[in-house]
Amino acid sequence: MSDQDVLKRRLEREIKARKQAEQILEEKALELYQSNEQLKSLNQSLEETVEKRTRELAESQKQFKSLVESAGDIIYNADARGFFTYVNPIAEELLGYRKEELLGRHYTELVRSDKAEAVRAFYLQMLKEKKETSYYEFPVVCKDGAELWLGQRVQIAFKKDESHKITAVARDISALVEVRNALEASEKKYRGIINSMELGLLEVSREGIVIKAYDWFCDMTGYTAEELVGKDPIPILMHPDEVEVMHQQDANRKRGQAGVYEVRIRKKNGTYMWVAISGAPFYDPKGRMIGSIGIHLDITHQKKLQEQLEQAREEAENARQAEKEFLAHMSHEIRTPLNAVVGMTNLLASTELSSSQKDYVQDIKYAADVLHGLISDVLDISKIEAGEVEMLESELHLEQTIAMLCKTLDYRAREKRNTLSYTISPAVPSIIQADRNFLNQILLNLLGNALKFTENGTISIDVEVAGKIKEGLLLKFTVSDTGIGIGPEKIDTIFERFKQEKAETRKIYGGTGLGLAICRHLVELHGGTIYVDSEEGKGSQFIFSLKVRAVTTTDSGQSLGELTHILKAPSTLKLLVAEDNELNQKYISALLKQWGVAHHLADNGQEAVQQSLKHLYDLILMDMQMPVMNGYEAAHAIREDAENPNQQTKILALTASALIDEKKKARQAGMDDHLTKPFTPDQLLTFLSQNLGSDQLPLQEETSTAENLNSFQGMALPPKIDKEALYSFYVDDLDYAREMTAFYLKIIDDEVLKAQDHLQKNNYEEAVSWVHRMSSNFFMVGLPHISKTLRRLETELKSQQTLENKVEEIQGILEEVKQTKKDIQLLQNQIIKVLKHD
């Protein structure tokens, strides 16, 4: 290749390289231009951002300054030595200094002189430990000399060159300190009172460890606080016999229950002392129980006195028992020959006697009567004062009782030419619940005195209602006479033992002076009072009151002519009804709704117990025979559970059995009263009134039922349907009667099938349960004879404990129930017809 060709190629390569270089240069120039443009844009954005941030920072500083300037707390800055470099306006307002007077001033110059050193030491220690934040309370003195308490929070920004910046926020806590001081003074005051009362305080934790032992407790026991704090007090202090008591009390505290109890505690010297402890739990601010406090009162002296009194009581009881035995022995020894004297006197009086002999016989008879009365009165007063006389209430017809007494005493009255009469106010119930023997003895004693001290005069008994009370009625009895009267100086002692108006009274009229004392005791046992209003020479009035209960009567032993009570206003009561019989549930529930009484239903005893744990009831109606858990078991479970809110709530037994054993069993299970099924609305209402008080169940004015009887009397019903039984349940509420008969018709076929199944399987328990459950249902549909038959049958089955010999009778009852179904259908049609007509 020639040199010219080589040169040419080299030139071409150089031209190509130059072009490539130029191209690269153009590209880099473009990139540089673009970068410059981006940089210009970025610089512009940065300037805008900086400007924006500067404005925001200025605004933020302005807001922060405004916030600091308007704050209600003192805010200030200080240098590392504690000299103010900034204070906000509130500092001027609270302290009274101008800003210029505070800046450059040391903070300790404002602190109250007696606290200045402590404050300085606190903050020097903070600097030494390089603690960044702290809180401290101290008093300062304002410019005008007033004192101010500050709660100060300090923050220190530590720097290497020790040019620390101190920022503080101080709040006026003067009011808080004042309250705290008052509280401490109050605590000190009451601690002083407790100490002066010689009450020992001991605080223990929830775990039973001593937190604090107060001075007097230590003085009582001889231990120092250091010997007790942090330890379990039971092994140190408690008598071995009292340990279980303390464990129980500790458990009560954890449940939030306070208590007062007596135990023996061991002193440090080994001797024991009796203390009464009042213990109560205490709580943290969140309401959590964190411990308990016990207040201990030394009752050792009182216990010794109590032991002495108990010993004296036993001695007195032994003496009383000896007196009783003596009186009983003497009664027997005297009455035996006395009976012979009285008998022989009566025989002698029946023979031919001269007039003087008759006089002698009368004198003997009179002396024997006096001696017999003396012995009887002495024995009566001895029994009463020994507490051996118990009030036994029963139903009695008041007018019949008083009429019989007057008839018995009429002969004695006519002997002394006296008239004996009685009046009873129409407001007084015909039949009352009272102690028949008490009333008879009280009236006999008072009438006997009236007859003794009255000649040719009048004696009367007046009875009226003194008022209504929670238990029923207060009856007022007045026994008046026109006899010799009582002097004013003897009125106050007339009811004391062996007291008579004057000595000659006993000489002329006889007597022991015990009759009125016996009356007073019997009246008080019956819940009443007795007093006398008398004027010497003009007669006496003995007035006494007795607490009784009126007895209302209905058809199941009661007449339809009696008055019916109906609730007049909604009640605030809440009841629990435990009943497994659907018809009975519907019946009771409807009555309670009609009376405005809120209630819950439970189908068995277990449900009743569960409901009783959730709600507080005013009263519980409890059927005795229920599945799962019967009424006896349910009542026992409620009574035994200390945490059950209804542990003390009245529980009333409902049962179809009238057996005394059943009633006794109900009482033993914790029941308060007993109502036998079937019961009428009036009976249930009376039952509730007696157990809740009439003020809990307000009643309307009583209205006669006679005019309402037409609602059932006018119906054309089969002979087996008892119209009076229907009325006793429903009165004139035909809607309710229609509802109940419809429900009966709905369930009766299934109930008959259940009973037949129990008989086929020879299932005694289920058969008895069926008889018990259904015995009250038939009364509600006008078939009381079937109810009575089932009640008798239940009693017989329970005594035999077998279905043997009763299967045929039960099958006969079931056949009758089937046959009467059409009668009940007719009854329902008649009710519907009357309702449509109305």
Side-chain angles (χ1 to χ4, degrees), residues 745-823:
L745 290 170
K746 178 181 177 182
I747 67 168
I748 194 61
D749 288 340
D750 286 341
E751 290 295 343
V752 170
L753 290 175
K754 287 178 185 176
Q756 289 173 337
D757 184 58
H758 299 331
L759 294 179
Q760 289 173 2
K761 295 178 179 177
N762 194 30
N763 193 326
Y764 167 79
E765 294 291 341
E766 293 295 337
V768 173
S769 176
W770 186 93
V771 170
H772 170 84
R773 185 164 46 83
M774 295 297 293
S775 61
S776 60
N777 290 1
F778 298 102
F779 205 101
M780 302 180 198
V781 290
L783 300 173
H785 66 284
I786 297 181
S787 286
K788 292 175 183 176
T789 301
L790 288 177
R791 287 176 63 185
R792 172 187 57 77
L793 189 60
E794 180 186 5
T795 301
E796 293 174 357
L797 284 170
K798 286 184 176 180
S799 64
Q800 294 177 4
Q801 295 291 310
T802 177
L803 281 174
E804 190 178 357
N805 302 325
K806 294 299 178 184
V807 173
E808 186 175 342
E809 184 177 1
I810 295 175
Q811 287 174 337
I813 293 171
L814 295 177
E815 284 302 316
E816 183 179 2
V817 170
K818 292 178 185 177
Q819 293 169 11
T820 57
K821 182 180 176 182
K822 58 184 178 182
D823 295 339

XYZ file of all heavy atoms in Angstrom, residues 745-823:
653
model
N -108.679 -27.023 78.191
C -109.063 -27.907 77.091
C -107.874 -28.243 76.198
O -107.805 -29.321 75.602
C -110.174 -27.242 76.270
C -111.538 -27.139 76.973
C -112.482 -26.249 76.182
C -112.156 -28.531 77.170
N -106.927 -27.327 76.125
C -105.753 -27.526 75.288
C -104.831 -28.596 75.864
O -104.229 -29.387 75.121
C -105.008 -26.198 75.141
C -103.738 -26.273 74.320
C -103.053 -24.916 74.262
C -101.726 -24.994 73.511
N -101.026 -23.682 73.482
N -104.718 -28.666 77.177
C -103.715 -29.553 77.792
C -104.290 -30.849 78.334
O -103.537 -31.795 78.601
C -102.979 -28.828 78.941
C -103.933 -28.556 80.114
C -102.336 -27.543 78.461
C -103.247 -28.119 81.385
N -105.619 -30.947 78.522
C -106.162 -32.050 79.317
C -105.953 -33.407 78.658
O -105.694 -34.411 79.342
C -107.653 -31.808 79.648
C -108.100 -32.776 80.739
C -108.524 -31.889 78.416
C -107.337 -32.627 82.030
N -106.060 -33.491 77.318
C -105.868 -34.792 76.658
C -104.449 -35.316 76.891
O -104.253 -36.504 77.196
C -106.136 -34.650 75.156
C -107.626 -34.466 74.858
O -108.443 -34.817 75.720
O -107.955 -33.959 73.775
N -103.462 -34.450 76.745
C -102.075 -34.862 76.980
C -101.864 -35.282 78.422
O -101.129 -36.244 78.706
C -101.114 -33.722 76.632
C -100.971 -33.520 75.134
O -101.304 -34.455 74.379
O -100.522 -32.427 74.740
N -102.498 -34.576 79.358
C -102.334 -34.903 80.776
C -102.937 -36.273 81.091
O -102.373 -37.050 81.869
C -102.983 -33.826 81.647
C -102.262 -32.491 81.642
C -100.879 -32.581 82.261
O -100.587 -33.559 82.966
O -100.058 -31.662 82.013
N -104.087 -36.601 80.477
C -104.700 -37.920 80.693
C -103.784 -39.007 80.151
O -103.588 -40.060 80.791
C -106.091 -37.970 80.024
C -106.629 -39.409 80.030
C -107.060 -37.049 80.764
N -103.197 -38.786 78.968
C -102.274 -39.767 78.387
C -101.050 -39.968 79.275
O -100.567 -41.101 79.451
C -101.855 -39.306 76.987
C -102.935 -39.368 75.894
C -102.425 -38.763 74.593
C -103.388 -40.814 75.661
N -100.522 -38.877 79.834
C -99.372 -38.989 80.740
C -99.721 -39.855 81.945
O -98.942 -40.731 82.350
C -98.936 -37.597 81.213
C -98.237 -36.755 80.174
C -97.891 -35.379 80.750
C -97.294 -34.472 79.694
N -97.039 -33.109 80.227
N -100.889 -39.614 82.531
C -101.292 -40.379 83.717
C -101.455 -41.859 83.383
O -101.030 -42.738 84.147
C -102.598 -39.812 84.267
N -102.061 -42.165 82.245
C -102.253 -43.566 81.844
C -100.904 -44.247 81.623
O -100.724 -45.413 81.980
C -103.104 -43.616 80.568
C -104.560 -43.239 80.807
C -105.356 -43.114 79.519
O -104.774 -42.894 78.453
N -106.670 -43.248 79.612
N -99.950 -43.499 81.074
C -98.602 -44.053 80.862
C -97.928 -44.367 82.197
O -97.272 -45.407 82.342
C -97.762 -43.051 80.061
C -96.392 -43.598 79.714
O -96.315 -44.655 79.067
O -95.390 -42.962 80.115
N -98.082 -43.498 83.180
C -97.496 -43.737 84.509
C -98.097 -44.992 85.145
O -97.380 -45.777 85.786
C -97.753 -42.541 85.426
C -97.147 -41.251 84.940
N -96.014 -41.223 84.169
C -97.545 -39.951 85.110
C -95.717 -39.958 83.887
N -96.641 -39.179 84.435
N -99.405 -45.196 84.952
C -100.068 -46.367 85.531
C -99.585 -47.644 84.846
O -99.333 -48.659 85.510
C -101.585 -46.232 85.404
C -102.235 -45.102 86.214
C -103.740 -45.070 85.975
C -101.961 -45.259 87.704
N -99.478 -47.604 83.505
C -99.044 -48.794 82.762
C -97.627 -49.203 83.154
O -97.313 -50.392 83.239
C -99.114 -48.516 81.265
C -100.541 -48.425 80.725
C -100.581 -47.971 79.279
O -99.541 -47.761 78.660
N -101.787 -47.830 78.730
N -96.771 -48.205 83.395
C -95.378 -48.495 83.752
C -95.192 -48.675 85.253
O -94.070 -48.873 85.726
C -94.472 -47.372 83.253
C -94.426 -47.258 81.738
C -93.557 -46.087 81.303
C -93.486 -45.974 79.792
N -92.694 -44.790 79.357
N -96.302 -48.590 85.998
C -96.258 -48.715 87.465
C -95.225 -47.746 88.068
O -94.484 -48.081 88.984
C -95.922 -50.153 87.874
C -96.211 -50.410 89.363
O -97.119 -49.795 89.929
N -95.447 -51.284 89.974
N -95.189 -46.530 87.531
C -94.223 -45.501 87.971
C -94.854 -44.698 89.116
O -95.613 -43.749 88.899
C -93.869 -44.580 86.795
C -92.658 -43.715 87.111
O -92.449 -43.312 88.245
N -91.861 -43.438 86.090
N -94.524 -45.112 90.329
C -95.147 -44.498 91.514
C -94.813 -43.013 91.627
O -95.709 -42.176 91.822
C -94.681 -45.241 92.768
C -95.012 -44.520 94.062
C -96.293 -44.574 94.609
C -94.042 -43.779 94.740
C -96.609 -43.895 95.779
C -94.341 -43.102 95.908
C -95.628 -43.163 96.423
O -95.936 -42.492 97.579
N -93.516 -42.653 91.499
C -93.097 -41.263 91.694
C -93.806 -40.331 90.712
O -94.304 -39.270 91.089
C -91.576 -41.130 91.528
C -90.760 -41.846 92.586
C -90.884 -41.189 93.950
O -91.291 -40.007 94.006
O -90.566 -41.848 94.953
N -93.830 -40.722 89.442
C -94.450 -39.874 88.428
C -95.956 -39.785 88.631
O -96.574 -38.734 88.403
C -94.143 -40.416 87.021
C -92.678 -40.319 86.626
C -92.226 -38.872 86.522
O -93.074 -37.980 86.323
O -91.016 -38.628 86.643
N -96.574 -40.886 89.067
C -98.022 -40.878 89.300
C -98.383 -39.922 90.437
O -99.336 -39.144 90.335
C -98.509 -42.291 89.617
N -97.620 -39.981 91.539
C -97.877 -39.085 92.669
C -97.661 -37.639 92.248
O -98.425 -36.743 92.613
C -96.974 -39.444 93.867
C -97.110 -38.403 94.969
C -97.331 -40.814 94.408
N -96.602 -37.403 91.461
C -96.320 -36.043 90.981
C -97.483 -35.529 90.136
O -97.881 -34.362 90.246
C -95.024 -36.042 90.170
O -94.787 -34.764 89.614
N -98.046 -36.425 89.282
C -99.179 -36.016 88.435
C -100.389 -35.670 89.298
O -101.061 -34.656 89.068
C -99.523 -37.140 87.457
C -100.582 -36.754 86.455
C -100.377 -36.236 85.219
C -102.002 -36.870 86.617
N -101.569 -36.002 84.591
C -102.603 -36.381 85.433
C -102.831 -37.328 87.638
C -103.980 -36.345 85.247
C -104.211 -37.286 87.466
C -104.782 -36.803 86.285
N -100.690 -36.509 90.266
C -101.841 -36.262 91.152
C -101.673 -34.937 91.879
O -102.605 -34.128 91.974
C -101.997 -37.423 92.164
C -103.028 -37.058 93.233
C -102.417 -38.693 91.440
N -100.455 -34.700 92.393
C -100.190 -33.445 93.114
C -100.347 -32.242 92.181
O -100.979 -31.248 92.523
C -98.777 -33.468 93.683
C -98.328 -32.147 94.229
N -98.635 -31.730 95.508
C -97.616 -31.139 93.659
C -98.133 -30.524 95.699
N -97.505 -30.145 94.595
N -99.772 -32.368 90.982
C -99.748 -31.230 90.052
C -101.136 -30.879 89.544
O -101.467 -29.703 89.366
C -98.818 -31.588 88.887
C -98.575 -30.492 87.902
C -97.365 -30.801 87.023
N -97.371 -32.166 86.521
C -98.055 -32.547 85.432
N -98.755 -31.671 84.761
N -98.006 -33.807 85.034
N -101.990 -31.890 89.335
C -103.300 -31.648 88.726
C -104.408 -31.393 89.738
O -105.514 -30.996 89.363
C -103.686 -32.847 87.847
C -102.775 -33.062 86.652
S -102.794 -31.679 85.474
C -104.463 -31.804 84.849
N -104.121 -31.606 91.018
C -105.208 -31.546 92.012
C -105.879 -30.187 92.093
O -107.067 -30.089 92.413
C -104.682 -31.951 93.391
O -103.657 -31.061 93.797
N -105.126 -29.113 91.808
C -105.732 -27.782 91.893
C -106.353 -27.325 90.584
O -107.146 -26.376 90.562
C -104.678 -26.765 92.334
O -103.615 -26.731 91.406
N -106.020 -27.988 89.476
C -106.484 -27.517 88.167
C -107.988 -27.615 87.987
O -108.615 -26.750 87.370
C -105.795 -28.300 87.051
C -104.319 -27.966 86.938
O -103.809 -27.164 87.710
N -103.628 -28.572 85.998
N -108.571 -28.693 88.515
C -109.991 -28.925 88.257
C -110.877 -27.926 88.998
O -111.993 -27.636 88.554
C -110.346 -30.370 88.630
C -109.596 -31.378 87.818
C -108.499 -32.040 88.336
C -109.965 -31.636 86.499
C -107.786 -32.944 87.578
C -109.255 -32.549 85.735
C -108.157 -33.203 86.267
N -110.364 -27.415 90.117
C -111.130 -26.392 90.829
C -111.330 -25.158 89.946
O -112.364 -24.507 89.992
C -110.396 -26.006 92.117
C -111.294 -25.462 93.187
C -111.694 -26.256 94.246
C -111.762 -24.155 93.129
C -112.536 -25.747 95.232
C -112.596 -23.650 94.106
C -112.981 -24.456 95.162
N -110.353 -24.862 89.101
C -110.402 -23.656 88.277
C -111.441 -23.746 87.162
O -111.806 -22.713 86.592
C -109.026 -23.391 87.657
C -107.905 -23.226 88.652
S -106.344 -22.914 87.805
C -105.187 -23.313 89.110
N -111.871 -24.966 86.831
C -112.877 -25.115 85.769
C -114.194 -25.626 86.327
O -115.001 -26.227 85.611
C -112.351 -26.058 84.656
C -111.233 -25.395 83.893
C -111.923 -27.401 85.217
N -114.414 -25.405 87.630
C -115.712 -25.723 88.220
C -115.900 -27.172 88.591
O -117.046 -27.644 88.687
N -114.800 -27.925 88.797
C -114.892 -29.339 89.193
C -114.162 -29.552 90.521
O -113.209 -30.323 90.612
C -114.282 -30.223 88.107
C -114.936 -30.142 86.718
C -114.121 -30.927 85.697
C -116.375 -30.668 86.758
N -114.605 -28.885 91.608
C -113.886 -28.996 92.884
C -113.915 -30.397 93.474
O -113.019 -30.768 94.222
C -114.608 -27.990 93.785
C -115.970 -27.862 93.204
C -115.787 -27.998 91.723
N -114.936 -31.208 93.123
C -115.010 -32.558 93.695
C -113.852 -33.425 93.198
O -113.345 -34.280 93.933
C -116.361 -33.199 93.369
C -116.575 -33.467 91.905
N -116.884 -32.459 91.003
C -116.513 -34.626 91.176
C -117.026 -32.994 89.789
N -116.793 -34.294 89.872
N -113.415 -33.203 91.941
C -112.258 -33.959 91.437
C -110.984 -33.504 92.151
O -110.129 -34.324 92.509
C -112.118 -33.785 89.905
C -113.348 -34.354 89.197
C -110.848 -34.468 89.407
C -113.307 -34.254 87.687
N -110.861 -32.177 92.394
C -109.697 -31.663 93.131
C -109.611 -32.290 94.514
O -108.538 -32.727 94.956
C -109.788 -30.143 93.260
O -109.496 -29.510 92.037
N -110.747 -32.352 95.213
C -110.756 -32.913 96.578
C -110.397 -34.396 96.548
O -109.672 -34.894 97.429
C -112.118 -32.684 97.211
C -112.411 -31.218 97.493
C -113.829 -31.014 98.001
C -114.113 -29.520 98.213
N -115.508 -29.261 98.622
N -110.901 -35.119 95.539
C -110.590 -36.546 95.425
C -109.096 -36.756 95.206
O -108.475 -37.643 95.819
C -111.380 -37.166 94.257
O -112.777 -36.989 94.496
C -111.077 -38.649 94.125
N -108.494 -35.935 94.347
C -107.063 -36.065 94.072
C -106.224 -35.718 95.302
O -105.189 -36.340 95.550
C -106.667 -35.169 92.895
C -107.151 -35.626 91.511
C -106.762 -34.617 90.442
C -106.578 -37.002 91.162
N -106.660 -34.743 96.068
C -105.914 -34.382 97.291
C -105.947 -35.541 98.288
O -104.941 -35.853 98.926
C -106.502 -33.121 97.896
C -106.185 -31.863 97.108
C -106.854 -30.647 97.690
N -106.369 -30.373 99.027
C -106.852 -29.413 99.817
N -107.837 -28.643 99.394
N -106.352 -29.213 101.013
N -107.123 -36.154 98.442
C -107.210 -37.319 99.339
C -106.336 -38.450 98.817
O -105.620 -39.108 99.577
C -108.678 -37.771 99.435
C -108.851 -39.100 100.187
C -110.268 -39.605 100.121
N -110.740 -39.785 98.764
C -110.396 -40.817 97.991
N -109.578 -41.758 98.436
N -110.893 -40.922 96.768
N -106.389 -38.646 97.518
C -105.625 -39.725 96.909
C -104.129 -39.505 97.091
O -103.373 -40.450 97.360
C -105.973 -39.805 95.418
C -105.431 -41.006 94.638
C -105.951 -42.304 95.230
C -105.849 -40.895 93.173
N -103.654 -38.260 96.978
C -102.234 -37.952 97.167
C -101.785 -38.326 98.576
O -100.723 -38.924 98.773
C -101.969 -36.472 96.907
C -100.497 -36.099 97.086
C -100.242 -34.603 96.984
O -101.200 -33.830 96.873
O -99.053 -34.216 97.053
N -102.616 -37.984 99.557
C -102.292 -38.312 100.947
C -102.173 -39.824 101.142
O -101.232 -40.321 101.774
C -103.368 -37.744 101.883
O -103.444 -36.336 101.704
C -103.046 -38.052 103.338
N -103.112 -40.562 100.583
C -103.108 -42.020 100.733
C -101.921 -42.647 100.004
O -101.283 -43.587 100.505
C -104.425 -42.586 100.207
C -105.630 -42.171 101.050
C -106.951 -42.616 100.442
O -106.933 -43.192 99.326
O -107.997 -42.374 101.067
N -101.606 -42.136 98.815
C -100.470 -42.676 98.066
C -99.162 -42.442 98.806
O -98.286 -43.320 98.839
C -100.408 -42.026 96.680
C -101.432 -42.517 95.646
C -101.409 -41.631 94.412
C -101.159 -43.961 95.257
N -99.005 -41.270 99.401
C -97.769 -40.970 100.127
C -97.631 -41.826 101.370
O -96.518 -42.155 101.788
C -97.728 -39.486 100.486
C -97.438 -38.590 99.296
C -97.311 -37.130 99.707
C -96.925 -36.261 98.517
N -96.794 -34.834 98.883
N -98.744 -42.177 101.988
C -98.663 -43.028 103.185
C -98.386 -44.482 102.818
O -97.720 -45.207 103.539
C -99.965 -42.922 103.995
O -101.063 -43.428 103.233
N -98.890 -44.930 101.628
C -98.695 -46.325 101.215
C -97.391 -46.545 100.468
O -96.853 -47.655 100.450
C -99.867 -46.753 100.307
C -101.211 -46.789 101.027
C -102.348 -47.148 100.081
O -102.130 -47.449 98.913
N -103.573 -47.111 100.587
N -96.880 -45.457 99.812
C -95.638 -45.542 99.032
C -95.735 -46.573 97.904
O -94.735 -47.179 97.511
C -94.455 -45.888 99.947
C -94.136 -44.818 100.973
C -93.560 -43.567 100.325
O -92.637 -43.646 99.533
N -94.130 -42.423 100.654
N -96.942 -46.792 97.368
C -97.123 -47.742 96.271
C -98.417 -47.413 95.535
O -99.324 -46.793 96.099
C -97.177 -49.189 96.796
O -97.425 -50.061 95.683
C -98.281 -49.356 97.829
N -98.486 -47.823 94.252
C -99.706 -47.621 93.450
C -100.724 -48.732 93.658
O -101.852 -48.653 93.180
C -99.337 -47.550 91.968
C -98.762 -46.227 91.450
C -98.324 -46.379 89.997
C -99.782 -45.115 91.570
N -100.308 -49.768 94.376
C -101.177 -50.925 94.580
C -102.499 -50.499 95.213
O -102.549 -49.664 96.117
C -100.472 -51.937 95.486
C -101.196 -53.272 95.572
C -100.433 -54.265 96.443
O -99.331 -53.923 96.924
O -100.943 -55.367 96.643
N -103.590 -51.057 94.707
C -104.961 -50.787 95.181
C -105.479 -49.403 94.795
O -106.617 -49.063 95.147
C -105.080 -50.948 96.704
C -104.688 -52.332 97.177
O -104.938 -53.318 96.474
N -104.071 -52.417 98.348
N -104.663 -48.590 94.101
C -105.131 -47.250 93.725
C -105.224 -47.079 92.209
O -105.734 -46.062 91.741
C -104.176 -46.184 94.288
C -104.170 -46.106 95.805
C -105.546 -45.746 96.353
C -105.553 -45.717 97.874
N -106.908 -45.472 98.416
N -104.713 -48.043 91.477
C -104.706 -47.929 90.012
C -106.134 -47.815 89.483
O -106.448 -46.959 88.654
C -103.992 -49.139 89.373
C -104.147 -49.110 87.849
C -102.519 -49.143 89.758
N -107.021 -48.684 89.982
C -108.414 -48.696 89.497
C -109.098 -47.362 89.799
O -109.825 -46.824 88.959
C -109.166 -49.851 90.162
C -110.575 -50.035 89.604
C -111.267 -51.249 90.193
O -110.580 -52.133 90.748
O -112.504 -51.321 90.094
N -108.853 -46.811 90.988
C -109.480 -45.532 91.344
C -108.971 -44.398 90.453
O -109.753 -43.551 89.998
C -109.208 -45.189 92.813
C -109.920 -43.924 93.263
C -109.717 -43.619 94.746
O -108.999 -44.394 95.419
O -110.271 -42.614 95.206
N -107.671 -44.406 90.171
C -107.106 -43.354 89.321
C -107.673 -43.470 87.909
O -108.007 -42.461 87.262
C -105.566 -43.436 89.302
C -104.998 -43.152 90.696
C -104.979 -42.430 88.294
C -103.496 -43.338 90.802
N -107.803 -44.713 87.419
C -108.373 -44.893 86.082
C -109.808 -44.392 86.036
O -110.246 -43.805 85.033
C -108.308 -46.373 85.688
C -106.890 -46.845 85.354
C -106.809 -48.332 85.100
O -107.672 -49.091 85.557
N -105.767 -48.769 84.378
N -110.536 -44.602 87.131
C -111.915 -44.101 87.200
C -111.947 -42.577 87.126
O -112.823 -41.989 86.478
N -110.987 -41.940 87.812
C -110.910 -40.473 87.779
C -110.596 -39.996 86.368
O -111.186 -39.019 85.873
C -109.841 -39.971 88.767
C -110.259 -40.262 90.202
C -109.601 -38.461 88.586
C -109.174 -40.007 91.228
N -109.683 -40.704 85.696
C -109.317 -40.318 84.329
C -110.509 -40.453 83.394
O -110.703 -39.611 82.488
C -108.152 -41.169 83.831
C -106.817 -40.989 84.563
C -105.759 -41.946 84.016
C -106.320 -39.557 84.445
N -111.328 -41.490 83.581
C -112.525 -41.654 82.759
C -113.493 -40.495 82.997
O -114.100 -39.971 82.061
C -113.209 -42.991 83.078
C -112.524 -44.197 82.491
C -112.404 -44.117 80.964
O -113.395 -43.725 80.308
O -111.310 -44.422 80.456
N -113.646 -40.109 84.255
C -114.541 -38.986 84.569
C -114.013 -37.693 83.939
O -114.792 -36.871 83.435
C -114.683 -38.809 86.081
C -115.668 -37.701 86.445
C -115.841 -37.513 87.943
O -115.158 -38.219 88.720
O -116.650 -36.654 88.334
N -112.687 -37.520 83.973
C -112.093 -36.320 83.365
C -112.405 -36.276 81.880
O -112.751 -35.220 81.323
C -110.566 -36.302 83.600
C -109.909 -35.203 82.769
C -110.268 -36.081 85.078
N -112.306 -37.458 81.210
C -112.632 -37.501 79.779
C -114.091 -37.123 79.536
O -114.415 -36.381 78.596
C -112.368 -38.914 79.231
C -110.910 -39.317 79.179
C -110.806 -40.754 78.658
C -109.379 -41.278 78.679
N -109.306 -42.695 78.239
N -114.984 -37.660 80.378
C -116.420 -37.409 80.200
C -116.785 -35.945 80.447
O -117.693 -35.408 79.819
C -117.230 -38.320 81.131
C -117.135 -39.789 80.766
C -117.726 -40.685 81.839
O -118.390 -40.211 82.764
N -117.504 -41.989 81.705
N -116.074 -35.307 81.387
C -116.411 -33.916 81.719
C -115.801 -32.926 80.736
O -116.070 -31.724 80.832
C -115.927 -33.571 83.137
O -114.517 -33.811 83.230
C -116.672 -34.373 84.187
N -115.007 -33.425 79.791
C -114.391 -32.504 78.824
C -115.466 -31.755 78.035
O -115.351 -30.545 77.788
C -113.480 -33.286 77.886
C -112.758 -32.390 76.872
C -111.851 -33.191 75.951
C -111.226 -32.288 74.894
N -110.382 -33.058 73.952
N -116.540 -32.466 77.673
C -117.609 -31.789 76.927
C -118.345 -30.786 77.817
O -118.851 -29.773 77.330
C -118.577 -32.813 76.361
C -119.238 -33.727 77.386
C -120.100 -34.780 76.693
C -120.724 -35.733 77.733
N -121.522 -36.793 77.080
N -118.374 -31.059 79.157
C -118.977 -30.090 80.072
C -118.165 -28.793 80.095
O -118.731 -27.691 80.112
C -119.074 -30.675 81.485
C -120.006 -31.869 81.556
O -120.857 -31.999 80.654
O -119.886 -32.658 82.508
